[in-house]
Amino acid sequence: MATFPEGFLIGGATADFQCEGGFDVGGRGRLTHDFVTAGSVDQPRQLTLRLADGRPARVGWHDPLPAGARVMIEPGTYYPSHQATDFYHHWREDIDLMADLGFTTYRFSVCWSRLFPTGEELTPNEAGLAFYDQVIDYLVARQIAPIITICHDELPNALAESVSGWASRHTIACYERYALTLIRRYRRRVHHWLTFNEINILGGYAALGTHAQDAQTRYQCVHHMFVASARVIAAARALDPQARFGTMFMMSEMYPATSRPEDVFAAYTTRREQCFFFADVMARGRYPRYAKAFLQAQGVTLRVAPGDLAVLAANPIDFVAFSYYRSGTVTHAAGLVNENPHLATTPWGWPIDPLGLRLCLNALYDRYQKPLIVIENGLGMVDTLAPDGTVHDDYRSDYMAAHLRAILAAVTEDGVPCFGYTMWAPIDLVSLSTGEMKKRYGVVYVAMDDRGQGSLRRVPKASYAWLKRTIATRGAEL
Ligand code: BGP
């Protein structure tokens, strides 16, 4: 019977602004996410603004901001990042639950503005580091290997206001100071680092810190992130030769809607442009052959400084981390859509496709020949606490079982060196795309609603027992 190999990492993944809270304590500065309201499938999340003439306004969180506008916190408005699910005060209890599940790893992100409140400080906020010291010490004590995402779609808001975040090269130096602070402090306890989260789909003020949201701005920001990541890897290798660096890419399998050659070609190029372009640069250390035409077609002219290409070439990532939730379908006329008559979808319209994960694992390894880790995968559903005090979420166990079977097949039959799986997200947290609480992923329920109200009590769901058994048997019962 096939099982996950000895040493295969299995655990959970989270992002700071979706679970940590504690936004006003320990000297934490404002994060871009602190200005993003909650939304829903029909109502995009918004940024609250003060316009140049002093009037308040709101825009969608992925829209451009009017010239001279500044983000603000509107009294009486609910901002999910402020409390989130309060990991800041529940970390010990949450880690105990993860340890009880048998997790061997926990991937989480550090809040940049907790360490560097404005991003400009030359020395870190010790109170912020002290918070992560205790979390990391406790994880290690409970034999859970921490994997740190240095930057998960966020930045100190002051950097967005002063220099337009990643649009400016100045942010590269701020990021280096921040990342190397972490690596110096935790190098003996943390061996796997992710320089960025889902770098291929970043957009909006919260993730990039920019007022403009056009292709020129976006790809210039991403170029700065490529350089920042490579510069950090270069410096970190000298500090800790054992450390391994990756970046996280959002992956989905993309199928042609028909066998019509135009649809097949559209599926190929859409995937290349939305996923592989970014991994090509970071895993191979150079812009790919098709980059020039691809960028030109969008009117993008990158400003590349002397030395940028050399630092990219010398410091490719060691492993490829990716999230996988769903697949998509492409037609040459309509582009990428969710609809696939062969697949069921979640209530949020995401097609459920475990075989697509096996395809992704093979495609990524064929392309890069680097170790892989599935760093996010899970099912967002509306869960109901039953009268017996638990949540009967067999649908979640079924979803994870099918995806774990796909990984097992890729590892044992296809020979893909996938070294771990971290499910999103062990303890319910706030959704990134909608800011809702009712889109739950956890095997542990958190008593909190879409307005942040509730006792925050943690309640293991039925899937908790299933996952615990699956980990204990290394997948033998899958
Ligand atoms: C990924 C992000 C996570 C996370 C997850 C689920 O894109 O890295 O931060 O939230 O998707 O998405 P959502 O919360 O929108 O359901």
Side-chain angles (χ1 to χ4, degrees):
M1 195 181 312
T3 55
F4 286 107
E6 197 73 48
F8 184 87
L9 296 171
I10 189 149
T14 61
D16 57 285
F17 58 87
Q18 293 173 259
C19 68
E20 197 173 281
F23 99 116
D24 233 358
V25 290
R28 177 184 177 284
R30 295 279 182 268
L31 197 67
T32 43
H33 277 279
D34 297 340
F35 303 86
V36 183
T37 64
S40 66
V41 195
D42 311 315
Q43 166 65 59
R45 304 184 71 178
Q46 295 182 319
L47 287 164
T48 42
L49 303 177
R50 170 104 37 228
L51 298 176
D53 62 11
R55 281 179 305 127
R58 286 189 176 211
V59 291
W61 70 314
H62 282 111
D63 293 340
L65 274 58
R70 291 173 76 113
V71 290
M72 67 162 184
I73 289 172
E74 208 172 20
T77 295
Y78 169 59
Y79 296 93
S81 72
H82 295 195
Q83 171 190 263
T85 45
D86 201 24
F87 179 77
Y88 192 82
H89 295 107
H90 290 75
W91 60 269
R92 189 181 288 274
E93 177 186 356
D94 288 355
I95 294 171
D96 282 341
L97 286 161
M98 295 185 218
D100 178 61
L101 277 162
F103 279 11
T104 55
T105 192
Y106 172 44
R107 172 255 180 163
F108 62 97
S109 67
V110 168
C111 174
W112 189 342
S113 62
R114 194 177 287 293
L115 266 51
F116 291 86
T118 68
E120 300 283 2
E121 292 80 1
L122 297 180
T123 52
N125 168 28
E126 270 302 321
L129 280 168
F131 171 68
Y132 294 109
D133 287 348
Q134 57 186 359
V135 167
I136 291 168
D137 285 349
Y138 197 57
L139 284 168
V140 173
R142 305 245 37 197
Q143 291 170 322
I144 300 175
I147 298 179
I148 292 187
T149 315
I150 297 171
C151 179
H152 193 120
D153 310 16
E154 63 174 50
L155 72 172
N157 190 59
L159 278 181
E161 288 192 336
S162 60
V163 298
S164 274
W166 283 106
S168 165
R169 288 190 74 86
H170 177 73
T171 300
I172 300 176
C174 298
Y175 174 86
E176 276 182 86
R177 200 159 50 238
Y178 159 58
L180 292 174
T181 296
L182 287 176
I183 293 161
R184 259 185 225 106
R185 182 99 163 191
Y186 300 122
R187 64 188 148 170
R188 289 191 186 79
R189 286 166 281 172
V190 179
H191 307 296
H192 288 93
W193 299 86
L194 300 170
T195 53
F196 289 102
N197 182 68
E198 289 190 337
I199 194 164
N200 56 319
I201 55 161
L202 296 181
Y205 178 87
L208 299 176
T210 53
H211 274 49
Q213 301 301 335
D214 52 279
Q216 173 67 41
T217 306
R218 176 171 178 242
Y219 284 97
Q220 190 62 51
C221 286
V222 169
H223 175 73
H224 292 153
M225 291 173 161
F226 289 156
V227 173
S229 173
R231 289 179 63 91
V232 163
I233 294 173
R237 288 206 200 292
L239 288 171
D240 182 6
Q242 308 303 323
R244 290 292 168 263
F245 293 88
T247 290
M248 196 275 233
F249 307 93
M250 190 282 290
M251 285 294 295
S252 48
E253 193 53 47
M254 292 185 191
Y255 303 111
T258 70
S259 54
R260 189 179 159 159
E262 286 83 356
D263 286 344
V264 177
F265 191 68
Y268 172 78
T269 51
T270 304
R271 187 138 185 260
R272 192 171 72 173
E273 290 160 7
Q274 296 193 10
C275 303
F276 290 140
F277 171 78
F278 303 81
D280 282 353
V281 177
M282 302 188 86
R284 294 172 168 160
R286 58 181 184 277
Y287 277 91
R289 62 190 153 72
Y290 56 87
K292 197 166 163 208
F294 162 58
L295 293 172
Q296 254 170 18
Q298 299 176 82
V300 175
T301 310
L302 286 184
R303 291 185 308 279
V304 177
D308 281 3
L309 300 183
V311 81
L312 293 180
N315 299 287
I317 50 177
D318 300 311
F319 64 92
V320 173
F322 69 102
S323 63
Y324 180 88
Y325 290 90
R326 54 174 158 177
S327 58
T329 304
V330 183
T331 71
H332 71 287
L336 179 63
V337 294
N338 274 335
E339 288 71 37
N340 183 330
H342 308 289
L343 299 174
T345 57
T346 73
W348 278 265
W350 294 13
I352 300 172
D353 182 9
L355 190 54
L357 173 56
R358 183 170 173 185
L359 280 164
C360 280
L361 283 158
N362 277 277
L364 284 167
Y365 190 63
D366 288 348
R367 202 169 174 108
Y368 304 117
Q369 286 93 50
K370 300 217 183 230
L372 303 168
I373 180 165
V374 180
I375 207 82
E376 281 186 31
N377 169 252
L379 179 64
M381 286 291 271
V382 178
D383 292 333
T384 323
L385 208 51
D388 65 1
T390 189
V391 174
H392 298 282
D393 60 343
D394 292 344
Y395 41 83
R396 181 163 291 108
S397 313
D398 292 346
Y399 177 100
M400 278 193 280
H403 287 79
L404 283 167
R405 275 195 297 272
I407 298 174
L408 203 48
V411 171
T412 59
E413 295 174 39
D414 305 334
V416 174
C418 174
F419 65 94
Y421 173 86
T422 52
M423 53 93 54
W424 185 270
I427 322 274
D428 284 346
L429 41 59
V430 175
S431 155
L432 172 70
S433 54
T434 65
E436 293 169 303
M437 191 60 202
K438 69 166 179 279
K439 188 180 188 187
R440 295 173 183 272
Y441 285 89
V443 294
V444 176
Y445 183 88
V446 175
M448 185 181 125
D449 66 15
D450 282 342
R451 311 310 303 161
Q453 305 294 313
S455 66
L456 301 176
R457 196 163 58 92
R458 273 63 170 154
V459 185
K461 305 177 192 177
S463 57
Y464 181 97
W466 171 84
L467 184 58
K468 186 171 173 173
R469 203 170 54 251
T470 299
I471 295 174
T473 56
R474 296 221 312 273
E477 292 172 13
L478 284 170

